[in-house]
Amino acid sequence: MPTVFVSIGSNIDRESNIRAGVSALQKQFGELNISSVYEAAAVGFKGDAFLNLIVAFETKKTPTDVDALLDLIEKQNGRTSEQKKFNPRTLDLDLILYDDFVSDNPDLDVPRSEITRYAFVLEPLAEIAGHLKHPILNIQYNELWDSFDKKDLDQKRINFSWD
């Protein structure tokens, strides 16, 4: 079965929404491999810091079906059409990897371009899948993280209670 990686983020009622998102993914897909949770400054706008993590799971669903389910889970957890990129968000679920699948569909950015651009995606991905290679760049995620420019990085791993 294909392995899927999903980025999870929230900066509105962060802890509650992260727990709800992970719970919904567990109900939908079963066992998850869950990274540590990271707190990172908002990128692209002034706002409260985000909590971010990556989860991985196996599924027989297609990339399009997984993406549609992620959108549905976001909406079920209070995400509205106003909560677009570069705005505060209750819950942000992004399909970042689906095995070695590469999409040429502009509505399905896989592998997600944010992997190499944002520490809040790359660091937790390197944590749980560092040995895997980016399907286009053919470079391991831990190597991408090692070479990532961390000069102005405002991000830290936090102790997160799942209770």
Side-chain angles (χ1 to χ4, degrees):
M1 266 195 295
T3 301
V4 175
F5 291 84
V6 173
S7 172
I8 303 174
S10 175
N11 77 332
I12 299 173
D13 194 11
R14 305 176 317 172
E15 294 87 357
S16 176
N17 283 312
I18 292 294
R19 284 187 201 96
V22 168
S23 176
L25 290 170
Q26 286 171 326
K27 285 179 186 154
Q28 195 64 236
F29 298 105
E31 185 178 338
L32 304 177
N33 182 6
I34 304 172
S35 77
S36 299
V37 176
Y38 295 80
E39 184 175 59
V43 174
F45 70 100
K46 288 194 183 285
D48 293 335
F50 277 79
L51 292 183
N52 297 284
L53 66 149
I54 298 286
V55 300
F57 53 86
E58 293 182 346
T59 184
K60 292 180 182 174
K61 294 186 185 307
T62 67
T64 302
D65 289 343
V66 171
D67 196 50
L69 272 168
L70 297 178
D71 288 344
L72 178 63
I73 293 168
E74 287 176 342
K75 288 181 178 111
Q76 290 171 337
N77 285 278
R79 176 110 182 229
T80 64
S81 58
E82 292 83 36
Q83 295 179 14
K84 295 182 169 90
K85 192 171 187 153
F86 304 122
N87 282 295
R89 293 185 289 291
T90 54
L91 186 61
D92 190 23
L93 302 175
D94 292 322
L95 173 60
I96 61 167
L97 290 167
Y98 185 100
D99 263 356
D100 290 334
F101 174 74
V102 177
S103 171
D104 58 4
N105 178 344
D107 295 327
L108 189 64
D109 181 21
V110 177
R112 193 86 176 188
S113 58
E114 283 90 345
I115 292 171
T116 57
R117 292 198 334 248
Y118 298 124
F120 63 82
V121 176
L122 184 55
E123 185 174 13
L125 179 61
E127 177 190 327
I128 65 171
H131 64 288
L132 297 179
K133 289 185 177 182
H134 190 285
I136 296 172
L137 302 175
N138 201 33
I139 300 171
Q140 289 184 336
Y141 295 109
N142 56 8
E143 291 177 49
L144 289 170
W145 177 242
D146 287 345
S147 64
F148 191 86
D149 181 5
K150 301 174 187 81
K151 182 179 55 161
D152 297 320
L153 187 62
D154 188 2
Q155 174 169 297
K156 64 183 176 195
R157 187 181 307 193
I158 65 165
N159 289 323
F160 187 84
S161 171
W162 290 100
D163 300 326

